[in-house]
Amino acid sequence: MKASETSIRNLLEGTKQFQVPLFQRPYSWNKDYWDALWNDLMSIYKGEIEGFYFLGPIVTQAVSGTADGISAFLIIDGQQRLTTLSILLATLRDKLRQDNNDLAEELHEYYLINKFKNNDDFFKILPTKTDRESYRSIIKNNGQDNNSKGKINDAYEHFTKKLEEKSLKNLSFCEKLKSIILEKLIIVNITSDEKDNPYLIFESLNNKGQELTQADLVRNYIFMKLPIDNREEQYNQLWRPLEDKFKTEVGDKYSEELTNAFWFYLRKDGKSVQQKYVYQSLKKRFDQNQNNLLEELQLLVKFSNYYQRFNFPQKEESNSKFKEYFNNLLRLDFKTSHIFLLNIYNDYENGKISEQDFEKILLYLESYFVRRLFSRVSTQSLGGIINNLYAEIKKAESSSIVDGLYKTLNKFDKNKRWPSDKEFKTKLVNQTIYKGTKNDRNKFLLERLEKYQGKEIVDFSTLTIEHIMPQKIKDEWKKKLGDDHSSNHTKWLHTLGNLTLTAYNSELSNKSYSEKLEYLKKSNLYLNHDFREIDKWNFETIQDRANRLADIAIKVWPRQQC
């Protein structure tokens, strides 16, 4: 490796090209970074910083087999700084062109393009594929008619505004700024030999997690190890479509979500892996399978696609029944189940289980979690249970995976138990279920009870949970409830029997039961049909209704074998 101190002018002059590897993350600097760079430049301009300004290191590696006359280098580290400076030079060029200044063409031909080269060789900086269209448009079209969106375009617009604020008709500002960028900004250019392992350098600079997510590190490591003549094809076919789908779902946080997908993948076979060690664990796995790198990559992408179906079922899952179950698990905040379901989905895709068997598995899982949730079984052991569940099923002597799952869940006891009908019903009838920050789980419970009884399609988004006996009781309620109203009100207020769904929560508020009944009788929900036969509301009727609803819940979330 060779390290040399140099200016931006010396770095860019000549027929050179600095390539951002296609598999690295896209350009990601934002306003904070752009402003920091601009403020430093203004400090130099005002004389507040004397002499040269050290911008940091840029690590590159010479590329062999390039077009005749092009000195090409891979940017191992420093793509954000170098790309930003190139965009800033383009905005400065465009400002100078407005005044027909010859400096504009000097900037363009010496520091932005390789004038006599074609296609991609034309550009001094070649960003990753995601950013190339925006970057090409800025460099070739001078920033005009650029309809593309993204950070590259945002940076161009940001620096354009900065120049408009500062320069106005002051050409000397632009000329001085051009000299500052080219002459005063100093970098240490570390160039590795073709025989050096670029990823060892990259890893030593970035694996501390200060800038890149673990998914970024995983991607870069995998594609550095793939044969160079196969990288672009596999990136376009496998990795980029995966990243694009995550970007569609979660935007700028896609890399963190992708890291989470990898974490679930690593645990699907029962191994305990901490999330902060996702990169190290995958690196080890790929190192151990040097001869099957592509197969390992295909597996990682395949299971990450399964992860998307569980977490974004509305867009990613085509089977309507699976979609409903996946949504249910998300609403219950039972994402831990996805570790187990990764294997189940793979078995389904490979034809090892039928659609009907998959539905039974999803029903068992939902029943297991709902019964534990509303029976107040400790959740501390749940992660370990789900982590090892698939392995335990494989060990069981069963005729099918469905049968194995049922037998495995059925044999659990103590804190691993699948609550019985008796325990489930007793807890549903008697315990408080409406409290804390998980009230959507309670709404989910009521919605599922309604769906089981009713056949009509209901827009549940317009409905909220209503307490029949209100949370604050007036004198009329106290009189109806009797002398022990205070303690019993506390005991039964948030229980299942006293809860329903309505679209009139604000209208009902703490009205009397007779007034609420006028609304409830008009309701089309099966959940509210009981009220047509109940003339008074007290602690006995609350218990009676809870018992009826609990009997339905036992059918909705069965424990017997389907």
Side-chain angles (χ1 to χ4, degrees):
M1 293 180 64
K2 299 178 181 179
S4 60
E5 186 179 283
T6 188
S7 65
I8 299 300
R9 177 191 295 277
N10 289 335
L11 184 73
L12 296 177
E13 276 186 342
T15 310
K16 301 174 184 175
Q17 184 177 77
F18 295 90
Q19 303 169 0
V20 180
L22 58 90
F23 46 82
Q24 281 202 20
R25 67 174 177 175
Y27 179 73
S28 60
W29 269 21
N30 55 32
K31 184 178 182 298
D32 291 340
Y33 290 100
W34 302 330
D35 283 342
L37 174 61
W38 182 262
N39 291 337
D40 288 342
L41 291 171
M42 291 304 98
S43 294
I44 300 171
Y45 180 85
K46 296 173 185 176
E48 297 170 356
I49 297 177
E50 296 182 357
F52 299 102
Y53 182 77
F54 179 60
L55 199 62
I58 292 178
V59 184
T60 61
Q61 183 181 40
V63 178
S64 61
T66 56
D68 184 37
I70 288 280
S71 297
F73 302 88
L74 281 180
I75 307 175
I76 299 172
D77 186 65
Q79 66 137 318
Q80 304 291 332
R81 278 164 288 165
L82 201 52
T83 304
T84 303
L85 287 171
S86 181
I87 296 168
L88 178 53
L89 288 173
T91 60
L92 188 57
R93 172 204 64 189
D94 295 341
K95 179 61 183 174
L96 289 166
R97 274 181 171 168
Q98 293 176 12
D99 299 285
N100 297 316
N101 193 298
D102 290 341
L103 286 178
E105 298 314 308
E106 179 188 336
L107 279 174
H108 183 66
E109 294 184 10
Y110 281 83
Y111 307 109
L112 293 174
I113 66 167
N114 296 310
K115 184 175 181 179
F116 300 105
K117 302 300 175 182
N118 299 313
N119 302 320
D120 285 344
D121 293 338
F122 181 74
F123 303 94
K124 293 277 189 186
I125 310 293
L126 194 64
T128 190
K129 277 209 165 184
T130 304
D131 296 322
R132 283 184 191 174
E133 183 179 350
S134 296
Y135 184 79
R136 285 170 177 155
S137 180
I138 287 170
I139 301 303
K140 296 190 75 171
N141 300 330
N142 311 327
Q144 303 299 316
D145 300 322
N146 181 22
N147 296 319
S148 58
K149 296 180 181 180
K151 292 289 178 68
I152 291 276
N153 202 54
D154 292 343
Y156 177 85
E157 292 177 356
H158 183 81
F159 288 123
T160 297
K161 290 177 183 177
K162 290 291 186 183
L163 285 174
E164 289 173 351
E165 292 170 4
K166 286 287 183 182
S167 61
L168 299 176
K169 296 182 179 179
N170 186 0
L171 281 178
S172 63
F173 173 84
C174 292
E175 292 169 356
K176 187 173 180 181
L177 181 59
K178 172 246 183 190
S179 295
I180 289 171
I181 295 171
L182 295 176
E183 305 287 355
K184 296 291 185 180
L185 299 185
I186 300 299
I187 62 168
V188 172
N189 184 25
I190 303 171
T191 305
S192 65
D193 190 81
E194 291 178 36
K195 297 178 182 179
D196 292 334
N197 185 338
Y199 197 79
L200 291 178
I201 306 165
F202 177 85
E203 186 180 46
S204 67
L205 292 167
N206 290 289
N207 73 353
K208 297 180 178 63
Q210 295 174 343
E211 294 185 2
L212 299 181
T213 67
Q214 294 193 70
D216 292 325
L217 292 167
V218 168
R219 176 194 59 225
N220 293 355
Y221 186 74
I222 292 171
F223 283 92
M224 283 280 190
K225 291 183 76 68
L226 283 175
I228 194 168
D229 58 349
N230 197 27
R231 289 175 184 173
E232 185 162 355
E233 179 184 359
Q234 299 308 324
Y235 176 79
N236 289 330
Q237 289 184 1
L238 294 172
W239 195 276
R240 188 174 181 183
L242 179 70
E243 276 196 349
D244 286 345
K245 284 197 288 186
F246 273 97
K247 287 177 186 177
T248 299
E249 297 297 344
V250 296
D252 290 342
K253 297 293 183 181
Y254 76 92
S255 195
E256 288 86 347
E257 190 69 32
L258 193 54
T259 298
N260 207 47
F262 297 164
W263 185 39
F264 276 66
Y265 169 73
L266 286 167
R267 294 182 293 162
K268 71 180 179 64
D269 298 319
K271 294 182 180 179
S272 179
V273 178
Q274 293 185 47
Q275 191 171 18
K276 63 181 178 180
Y277 295 128
V278 165
Y279 163 63
Q280 288 89 337
S281 299
L282 279 174
K283 179 176 179 287
K284 183 178 180 181
R285 181 173 292 200
F286 276 87
D287 285 344
Q288 291 172 342
N289 292 278
Q290 293 276 2
N291 297 325
N292 299 298
L293 288 176
L294 185 55
E295 290 180 17
E296 282 294 322
L297 174 58
Q298 289 169 338
L299 277 176
L300 181 63
V301 170
K302 179 170 70 171
F303 279 90
S304 296
N305 278 313
Y306 296 159
Y307 174 91
Q308 287 184 324
R309 296 175 190 181
F310 306 147
N311 285 275
F312 315 111
Q314 291 303 114
K315 290 184 179 178
E316 299 298 335
E317 180 52 58
S318 59
N319 185 296
S320 60
K321 293 179 180 178
F322 296 172
K323 183 183 296 185
E324 183 175 0
Y325 275 111
F326 296 160
N327 273 319
N328 290 349
L329 295 174
L330 289 176
R331 288 191 64 186
L332 289 166
D333 197 20
F334 188 28
K335 291 185 179 181
T336 307
S337 64
H338 297 166
I339 299 170
F340 170 70
L341 287 175
L342 285 172
N343 289 303
I344 299 301
Y345 210 111
N346 192 51
D347 285 342
Y348 169 70
E349 289 279 277
N350 292 332
K352 293 182 180 179
I353 60 174
S354 66
E355 180 179 338
Q356 291 73 26
D357 283 345
F358 200 167
E359 286 180 51
K360 290 179 183 179
I361 289 170
L362 291 167
L363 178 59
Y364 288 153
L365 276 181
E366 189 177 313
S367 171
Y368 180 68
F369 184 77
V370 169
R371 283 178 175 243
R372 287 172 57 87
L373 174 67
F374 289 100
S375 297
R376 299 285 179 86
V377 182
S378 173
T379 60
Q380 289 184 350
S381 61
L382 194 57
I385 293 170
I386 299 301
N387 262 32
N388 297 307
L389 188 55
Y390 190 77
E392 288 201 40
I393 292 171
K394 289 294 185 181
K395 293 176 185 176
E397 295 181 2
S398 302
S399 57
S400 67
I401 293 175
V402 180
D403 183 58
L405 175 61
Y406 179 80
K407 289 180 177 178
T408 301
L409 295 178
N410 198 47
K411 74 178 182 182
F412 285 156
D413 59 6
K414 298 180 180 179
N415 280 347
K416 295 173 69 174
R417 72 185 183 276
W418 189 4
S420 65
D421 290 354
K422 181 179 180 181
E423 180 184 4
F424 185 40
K425 180 175 180 179
T426 300
K427 293 295 177 65
L428 275 180
V429 171
N430 295 288
Q431 76 173 2
T432 291
I433 66 171
Y434 183 94
K435 70 174 187 177
T437 59
K438 298 294 185 182
N439 279 331
D440 188 56
R441 287 175 170 177
N442 307 317
K443 186 168 185 270
F444 168 80
L445 172 68
L446 295 171
E447 288 179 13
R448 291 283 274 123
L449 295 177
E450 170 63 28
K451 288 178 181 178
Y452 187 83
Q453 299 174 93
K455 302 299 181 184
E456 293 184 12
I457 297 175
V458 178
D459 181 7
F460 289 106
S461 66
T462 64
L463 306 180
T464 56
I465 295 177
E466 168 67 20
H467 291 75
I468 307 304
M469 176 178 63
Q471 300 188 58
K472 293 182 179 180
I473 52 175
K474 295 181 178 179
D475 290 341
E476 183 178 353
W477 269 102
K478 293 177 182 179
K479 184 178 179 180
K480 295 282 186 183
L481 294 173
D483 294 337
D484 56 352
H485 63 78
S486 181
S487 60
N488 276 327
H489 177 263
T490 301
K491 179 179 179 181
W492 296 104
L493 174 63
H494 297 309
T495 59
L496 177 61
N498 193 49
L499 304 176
T500 192
L501 295 173
T502 77
Y504 306 105
N505 190 271
S506 59
E507 290 93 331
L508 296 177
S509 186
N510 58 355
K511 283 183 167 64
S512 67
Y513 179 67
S514 59
E515 291 174 300
K516 290 190 175 189
L517 200 54
E518 295 301 315
Y519 287 90
L520 295 171
K521 284 182 177 180
K522 298 175 184 177
S523 173
N524 291 324
L525 296 181
Y526 275 78
L527 203 59
N528 294 329
H529 283 190
D530 281 350
F531 297 110
R532 299 173 185 177
E533 308 299 328
I534 303 174
D535 295 328
K536 60 181 180 180
W537 195 249
N538 54 34
F539 304 121
E540 289 182 4
T541 51
I542 289 174
Q543 292 176 69
D544 288 343
R545 181 169 179 268
N547 274 290
R548 287 194 295 273
L549 293 179
D551 286 336
I552 298 169
I554 288 170
K555 297 175 183 176
V556 174
W557 294 286
R559 196 182 184 283
Q560 73 273 17
Q561 192 161 8
C562 299

